[in-house]
Amino acid sequence: MCGIVGILGREAIAFDLVEGLKRLEYRGYDSAGVAVLEGGEITRVRAEGKLKNLEAKLREAPLSGRAGIGHTRWATHGKPTENNAHPHATERLAVVHNGIIENFRELREELQAEGRVFASETDTEVVAHLVTALMDKQMSAEEAVAAALPRLHGAFALGFVFRGEDNLLIGARRGAPLAVGHGDGEMYLGSDALALAPFTDTITYLEDGDWVVLNRASARYFNEKNQPVKRKAQKTQAGAFLVDKGNHRHFMAKEIHEQPEVIGRTLAHYIDMGTGEVRLPFGLPFDWAKVGRLSISACGTAYLAGQIGKYWFERLARLPVEIDIASEFRYREAPMTPGDVMLVISQSGETADTLAALRYAKDQKQHVMSVVNVPTSTIARESHVVAGTLAGPEIGVASTKAFTCQLTVLACLAIAAGRARGVLSGRREKELVTQLIAIPGLVAEALKHEAPIEALARELSKATDVLYLGRGTSFPLAMEGALKLKEISYIHAEGYAAGELKHGPIALIDETMPVIVMAPRDPWFEKTVSNVQEVAARGGAIVLIGPEGVGREVAVDTLAEIAMPEMAPDFSAFVYAIPAQLIAYHTAVVMGKDVDQPRNLAKSVTVE
Ligand code: M6R
């Protein structure tokens, strides 16, 4: 989801901005720009395409300003044109933005009604006009940003410069990351430490909801309630490594917390934010309307993402789906009707069993589409169509952000199939897309519940067995929660369909057995509640993950309750994945396990 760099320097900084942006190229982008204060006035230079186009423009007309912001944009709202490129500006300020402003339509209408004229199709421009409108009411830049932030919905990071303020840079983060770099009489802002590696190794990471006011000598931090807060600077390894852990102890923790950003980035690749419709960024060699059956094959967490996708394809597109673990599928000799579609899912794109499933499907004359995170991988190269996940490098062996990005792509594909098959009306598609656009913000909300999960982890670390239960898409999610827990804490865990409990596993339940129940408010909520009561009646130690106040509704004694934000039921899997990941992570940390490299496991399984 784009890249941000801001600099308060001692000499001309335009090329330094570009240098920082080059470190963020791996995130993907299709236009770039800078805004620099030249004699107190904001001068913008923007270009379509790669950074070399921006550099060429800067060489033609060099800028001498010492304060500025730069941005690489991955188009979300509006095409990747120069006009839509960041920074966006008014007569008072310029702003760069990562992420999605969910309520941009309402804000734009409100600001247009005041007579403010918009020059781009982006959601970002509402931020520029909103802060300007507040400054027009005699607020200072700092007061205006403080007043504007609570009005913005969604997951985002922002960087501002202001006309006539050569020693002021303001940054803000909610959901998407942002870091401050401390130089010698210089100050920096970057969407990750990598962007700042050419200038400094002393970094302060903003916490979620923070915003910061920078000048060349100091940084003042505020939390989301606008209270002044202290944030520690630390030395970073970003200069030495391609990816670093940021201010997290483990890559897994960093990757869990990156999810609002990478889900947003992946969504932006598949959704036209302007029209609220799914727009696949590639052509298809088949017509969804003529597909008789979709086959899905993958391993581990990718397979469980496929299981969730099956619910979506069947419900939203009425498309029959058959799903197999790739190591079984490759030898099952499944008959397949030529011209149908095989979807393989893989983070690494190198998993041997998944690759074998792909090759079998090709032999069976299937159209092969892959959902992969590594675009240069073997699976990507051998597929007819590649639907990329934009999770960025995933280092932790336990897959987290790749999983939710796989869900993002699967949800968009299911909606596209539903539209093509005449199952979804335009109105329903827009409703679903609106729900998807809200996901990064809801995931950011869910990430705030880390403290009760840390306390729960201390209890779970004493268990030898754990049961996860769920219905609907929460069933595969229960299996994913169990897989995460066993692979990094080595506690034996199983995920079951809640309705299957009484057909066997209920025999295991006693007071030593934690039972973690995924209970989103979906059409099966009441039935899940009945299953919780069955567990309670047998003395099981219940952990309820559900909407705020779910414990009162269920009325049973619990070991813990983890409150999730209220949301429409269709895509609850994204949000409920977060506590499952955090439970596994904190339990493994409490137990002193090697979280990022658990015993016996490899990140990429290239053998059978
Ligand atoms: O690279 P892939 O997505 O193909 O990998 C598949 C599985 O090996 C992987 O998801 C594995 O289950 C993870 N360790 C789960 O966290």
Side-chain angles (χ1 to χ4, degrees), residues 298-303 345-352 354 379 394 396-400 402 406 480 483-484 487 601-605:
C299 300
T301 289
Y303 164 75
I345 308 169
S346 174
Q347 187 286 128
S348 62
E350 301 295 348
T351 303
T354 310
I379 288 180
E394 190 180 65
V397 163
S399 186
T400 53
Q406 286 159 355
E480 169 60 6
L483 174 61
K484 284 286 91 84
E487 72 178 325
L601 291 176
K603 183 65 186 159
S604 179
V605 185

Side-chain angles (χ1 to χ4, degrees), residues 419-436:
R419 184 181 57 207
R421 293 168 69 83
V423 177
L424 294 180
S425 64
R427 197 172 58 83
R428 177 74 177 132
E429 176 178 0
K430 287 201 168 98
E431 245 171 54
L432 291 166
V433 168
T434 304
Q435 285 182 34
L436 283 178

Side-chain angles (χ1 to χ4, degrees), residues 72 326 421 498 500 510 513:
T72 43
R421 293 168 69 83
E500 187 67 6
D510 63 17
M513 169 73 107

Side-chain angles (χ1 to χ4, degrees), residues 202-224:
T202 309
I203 300 290
T204 303
Y205 292 95
L206 267 62
E207 289 184 15
D208 203 36
D210 281 358
W211 58 285
V212 63
V213 181
L214 301 175
N215 61 38
R216 287 184 178 78
S218 70
R220 286 183 294 120
Y221 300 90
F222 301 88
N223 64 16
E224 62 193 334

